[in-house]
Amino acid sequence: MITLIPAATGTATADGAAATDCSAVPWMNKHKSADQRAKALLAASTQHQIYRWLVEQPANNPTQTTFQGVTYPVQVACTPAVTYTDGPEGVRSGEGVTTFPAQIALASSFNEDTAYAKGRAMGREAFDKGKNVILGPGVGGGRTALAGRTPEYFGEDPVVNGVLAGAQARGIESSKDKPVLADLKHYVANEQETDRQTSSSNVDERTLKEIYELPYGIALAEGEPESVMCSYNQINGVYACENDLLDKSLKGELGLDGYVMSDYGAVHSTAASLKAGLDQELNRPIHFTPDKLDAALAAGEITRKDIERAAFRVVRSYIRGGLFDHPLAAEPKADVSTPAHKALARQIAEEGSVLLKNKGGTLPLTKRSGRTIAVIGSVASADPDSGLNARQLCSLPLNFGGTTSGRNTMACEDVVAPLDSLTERAAKLGATVVYDDGSDPERAARTAAAADVAVVFGYKQVGEFSDPADLGLDAGGDALISTVAAANDSTVVVLETGTATTMPWLSKVDSVLETWYPGEQAGPAVAALLFGDVNPSGKLPMTFPKSEEQQPAHTEAQYPGVVPEGGGIRQVDYSEGLQVGYRWYQAQDEQPLFDYGYGLSYTDFDVSKLKVSASGRNGLSIRFKVTNSGKRSGTEVPQVYLELPRSAGEPAARLAAWDRVTLKAGQSRTVTLQLTGEQIETRRLTQYYDSARGTWRTPSGTFTAHVGTSSDTSLSAGFTLGGR
């Protein structure tokens, strides 16, 4: 145990700290390990200096002594200034950064390399903007499409969430010259915005392990983020930030070697939170103040070892992540976006857009040479007088009390509007674009009727602070599309939504392209996709239901939960258990509007000749043939779902692997997906959680691999593994 120096023995002044030779203090000795350096720093600290590490503001502002009326001594010398920033879809630091598409678009790419590249770009932009901890990426279970933060996460599959979040975190922390830490969030079962601070997610142990904790285990193993954020909600009656899951599961079984920070305002106690494994209170000191820590110590509710443990984890992560050795610049740069980052934003928008329908080959629009194209809908334009516009929809909206504020999470000052890019691209074909903002449906119908093809933009804003009331489009969008489709029988719909939508007009239109929130390069990406310069390759990372009721959590008790008559917080019953997302649709034999993993191309692909065999040490080799049977090159995302033996009690086959395969017209390729024993173990691909024994098990019997271009697969092959 580290010996704490009483606060009364004196502290360094700000002037003294500035005059210290940092090369002489042991915690700045780069030849020592992060553990050794952290222990040396804490050994040289007073008790109240150690307290500083337990709260974001005093931890990260070493010379400041007062934080909203709470006073600390100046921190020991040679500790860095640290600044946190939010950052799911980009570095939320005002203007001068790249606005990437929403995370749900990144998920639609099913591209681990792209997730890493985005993370690396964000890390470098954050550092140059004077930020060295990014609060992201986030993972979720996707149990309802009505969850407000759906666009911040990677859809409804735990393996996809874990793999892509791990890759992005790895990218964020990859720049040794510009070190930035990643913070994985929000642990755990944080699946709605409705009463997020006063609700309990009541979930059985097996479901918790297999659906909601598994993404964290994968991301921690494959991405090694230095921190994890605990969520607002309760889990089975105990708030996340004082739940013993932090120590027993997150830091135990799941392997977090860094520190746990709270969400802002998610701490409800001093002793209970510290004992459970919370290391740092976000923002200002409320429950981890010196007075409250001293009182808890005096009462015997906590020990010095508890305090040391928390402070040590924070300091070690800051040192190990490079924050001590590479300080932020005195002045941040004004503009840190680069041409390469903008190109990456466009790539994500292109890879992440999903072609949902294309009747009669209406798309691509290259057939429209010399014709008139009507573009309808305010979000196609950047004109601020046309209603909600492209700049306001290029990133996530800020929703307060169920009402969109007209503001979003990113500045989007460099957004390229779809209307501008479509007009420019059409001109190269000798086609003409006419525009109507859609505010008057009858006028929009006249505009559409006079054109050869109508491209109508529909949108739905969902984001933090509230859940949407339904899955219909905003601002009468569904009615507008129906009106336009009635006026022009060659109607193309471009959707910009943060979640699934029910599309009551689907049978009336020729084509549908889901672009999510496409970021600042929306225009070039949408134009390239609609005109066929880029072949769509995105796949849905979430199932699109036919209605709000056709979802796994479809009763009031399941979502949004029920507030007890006698008072208390909202109780949310996760009674669907393992039947989340596509697993529910398969188990219930329900046909959704669009399957998980679904997405069309301007060409056609076939999969055949599936073979599964053991490979290496506890590994698995899955081999099949992919053929481009169409007339142009394109990229397919074949998917492998593993069905466990019946004894495991799993409701459906589970996504285990995927690949992105680019082929020329007529070309075939044998794809071999090699799953190592380590990947199978980390991702629990052949295991289920045995609650009775409190462990993960591989069942005996016949497994089945299903392969296809969506969760509605076309090939299957059985294989066996030894039970464990």
Side-chain angles (χ1 to χ4, degrees):
M1 184 172 74
I2 299 165
T3 301
L4 297 175
I5 304 171
T9 60
T11 61
T13 65
D15 290 342
T20 301
D21 179 5
C22 290
S23 66
V25 298
W27 53 93
M28 294 301 293
N29 186 342
K30 298 179 184 179
H31 298 292
K32 295 182 179 293
S33 68
D35 285 47
Q36 292 171 326
R37 294 171 66 179
K39 289 177 181 178
L41 186 149
L42 296 178
S45 303
T46 68
Q47 182 168 317
H48 281 204
Q49 285 173 322
I50 289 178
Y51 287 176
R52 294 182 66 115
W53 298 108
L54 275 59
V55 182
E56 176 201 347
Q57 289 181 354
N60 296 347
N61 300 276
T63 61
Q64 184 177 338
T65 57
T66 302
F67 304 88
Q68 298 194 34
V70 180
T71 300
Y72 297 82
V74 171
Q75 187 55 282
V76 295
C78 307
T79 56
V82 176
T83 304
Y84 291 1
T85 181
D86 214 352
E89 76 281 32
V91 180
R92 294 182 181 176
S93 299
E95 295 188 350
V97 297
T98 306
T99 302
F100 294 98
Q103 295 287 80
I104 194 72
L106 179 59
S108 297
S109 75
F110 282 79
N111 194 329
E112 187 176 350
D113 291 339
T114 302
Y116 174 87
K118 178 184 177 183
R120 182 172 174 83
M122 287 176 57
R124 297 187 72 81
E125 288 193 7
F127 189 89
D128 286 340
K129 269 290 185 181
K131 321 289 183 182
N132 46 8
V133 175
I134 293 178
L135 305 182
V139 297
R143 71 184 292 263
T144 175
L146 291 168
R149 302 188 86 165
T150 296
E152 293 188 36
Y153 301 145
F154 297 102
E156 68 191 28
D157 184 81
V159 175
V160 171
N161 268 270
V163 169
L164 295 186
Q168 188 173 357
R170 193 165 64 247
I172 288 171
E173 297 185 347
S174 65
S175 296
K176 301 307 178 185
D177 60 325
K178 296 181 178 182
V180 173
L181 308 187
D183 174 57
L184 192 63
K185 62 184 187 181
H186 306 85
Y187 182 84
V188 62
N190 176 237
E191 296 292 319
Q192 63 188 59
E193 291 300 279
T194 301
D195 289 343
R196 65 179 184 176
Q197 292 176 292
T198 54
S199 64
S200 178
S201 299
N202 300 326
V203 55
D204 67 88
E205 185 180 25
R206 179 172 178 176
T207 300
L208 181 68
K209 297 290 185 184
E210 292 191 21
I211 302 295
Y212 301 105
E213 284 195 337
L214 180 57
Y216 290 90
I218 296 171
L220 286 168
E222 300 183 8
E224 299 183 335
E226 284 290 352
S227 66
V228 172
M229 179 184 289
C230 52
S231 56
Y232 285 116
N233 55 288
Q234 292 183 355
I235 302 98
N236 297 325
V238 181
Y239 282 107
C241 293
E242 59 187 41
N243 200 302
D244 62 8
L245 287 169
L246 297 181
D247 253 352
K248 292 181 179 179
S249 190
L250 182 58
K251 294 179 179 178
E253 178 186 330
L254 299 178
L256 173 65
D257 190 42
Y259 67 103
V260 177
M261 70 169 72
S262 74
D263 207 336
Y264 178 53
V267 185
H268 294 264
S269 62
T270 301
S273 297
L274 190 63
K275 297 289 283 188
L278 178 64
D279 301 308
Q280 189 181 83
E281 184 175 19
L282 192 67
N283 205 272
R284 66 184 179 91
I286 300 174
H287 290 280
F288 281 4
T289 65
D291 286 348
K292 289 182 178 179
L293 290 170
D294 284 342
L297 268 174
E301 297 170 342
I302 60 174
T303 66
R304 291 183 174 185
K305 186 176 181 179
D306 296 326
I307 296 170
E308 295 162 7
R309 179 184 67 170
F312 173 76
R313 279 182 171 268
V314 175
V315 175
R316 180 179 61 182
S317 285
Y318 283 15
I319 293 173
R320 184 169 58 198
L323 307 194
F324 272 66
D325 299 331
H326 298 274
L328 295 167
E331 292 292 335
K333 295 180 180 179
D335 191 344
V336 299
S337 184
T338 68
H341 294 173
K342 292 183 182 299
L344 177 61
R346 176 174 173 174
Q347 177 189 338
I348 296 170
E350 292 172 348
E351 289 183 357
S353 292
V354 185
L355 183 63
L356 297 175
K357 183 179 180 180
N358 194 28
K359 185 179 74 173
T362 297
L363 294 177
L365 294 175
T366 47
K367 302 173 184 178
R368 305 292 167 175
S369 176
R371 299 187 178 185
T372 301
I373 302 170
V375 175
I376 298 169
S378 65
V379 296
S381 169
D383 182 358
D385 298 324
S386 293
L388 194 78
N389 60 67
R391 178 170 178 175
Q392 292 170 303
L393 205 68
C394 90
S395 68
L396 280 62
L398 292 173
N399 295 341
F400 300 101
T403 302
T404 56
S405 63
R407 295 184 292 116
N408 44 351
T409 54
M410 304 289 291
C412 294
E413 76 275 13
D414 290 335
V415 68
V416 183
L419 177 61
D420 297 335
S421 297
L422 289 169
T423 301
E424 180 182 351
R425 183 63 180 86
K428 294 179 180 179
L429 291 176
T432 301
V433 169
V434 295
Y435 170 68
D436 187 286
D437 65 15
S439 59
D440 181 342
E442 292 186 5
R443 185 188 66 205
R446 291 193 297 270
T447 302
D452 297 293
V453 62
V455 179
V456 57
F457 283 71
Y459 68 91
K460 185 170 188 64
Q461 291 190 290
V462 294
E464 187 178 2
F465 303 116
S466 65
D467 295 330
D470 56 48
L471 296 178
L473 296 178
D474 290 347
D478 290 316
L480 175 64
I481 292 170
S482 294
T483 300
V484 170
N488 189 314
D489 58 7
S490 294
T491 294
V492 175
V493 176
V494 177
L495 294 173
E496 297 189 8
T497 73
T499 188
T501 184
T502 49
M503 307 184 210
W505 36 261
L506 182 61
S507 64
K508 303 174 185 178
V509 304
D510 281 1
S511 306
V512 181
L513 181 71
E514 171 65 83
T515 66
W516 313 104
Y517 300 141
E520 66 176 53
Q521 295 300 306
V526 169
L529 290 161
L530 293 185
F531 280 94
D533 303 321
V534 172
N535 198 343
S537 62
K539 298 287 186 175
L540 290 180
M542 61 185 299
T543 307
F544 275 37
K546 293 177 180 177
S547 67
E548 291 82 4
E549 292 73 31
Q550 195 199 34
Q551 295 194 86
H554 58 275
T555 69
E556 183 183 6
Q558 291 173 300
Y559 174 84
V562 178
V563 178
E565 290 185 7
I569 70 171
R570 185 178 296 273
Q571 301 297 307
V572 185
D573 188 357
Y574 283 44
S575 58
E576 69 278 1
L578 299 174
Q579 294 187 27
V580 175
Y582 62 87
R583 306 179 197 211
W584 180 82
Y585 291 90
Q586 292 184 13
Q588 300 295 325
D589 197 24
E590 287 273 350
Q591 181 58 49
L593 190 65
F594 293 107
D595 290 305
Y596 180 91
Y598 174 85
L600 299 174
S601 168
Y602 294 146
T603 190
D604 298 305
F605 292 93
D606 302 311
V607 292
S608 60
K609 298 183 179 180
L610 172 62
K611 183 178 180 180
V612 184
S613 60
S615 172
R617 180 167 180 154
N618 298 320
L620 201 60
S621 175
I622 304 168
R623 187 171 63 187
F624 50 89
K625 184 178 180 180
V626 180
T627 300
N628 182 344
S629 56
K631 298 180 179 180
R632 61 167 292 172
S633 62
T635 299
E636 182 56 278
V637 182
Q639 301 150 47
V640 179
Y641 296 79
L642 293 185
E643 180 183 348
L644 274 59
R646 185 173 298 177
S647 62
E650 290 291 311
R654 314 177 314 196
L655 183 61
W658 59 89
D659 198 4
R660 288 182 60 86
V661 182
T662 301
L663 299 172
K664 296 178 181 178
Q667 183 182 10
S668 296
R669 182 182 304 162
T670 297
V671 175
T672 302
L673 297 179
Q674 296 281 5
L675 297 172
T676 66
E678 183 179 5
Q679 285 177 320
I680 290 173
E681 182 75 18
T682 298
R683 301 177 186 182
R684 308 295 185 185
L685 299 181
T686 60
Q687 299 178 326
Y688 71 98
Y689 189 78
D690 187 337
S691 298
R693 299 189 183 187
T695 188
W696 290 88
R697 298 187 66 197
T698 300
S700 298
T702 300
F703 292 74
T704 305
H706 301 271
V707 175
T709 56
S710 75
S711 57
D712 184 11
T713 55
S714 57
L715 299 177
S716 62
F719 63 97
T720 58
L721 297 172
R724 284 178 282 176

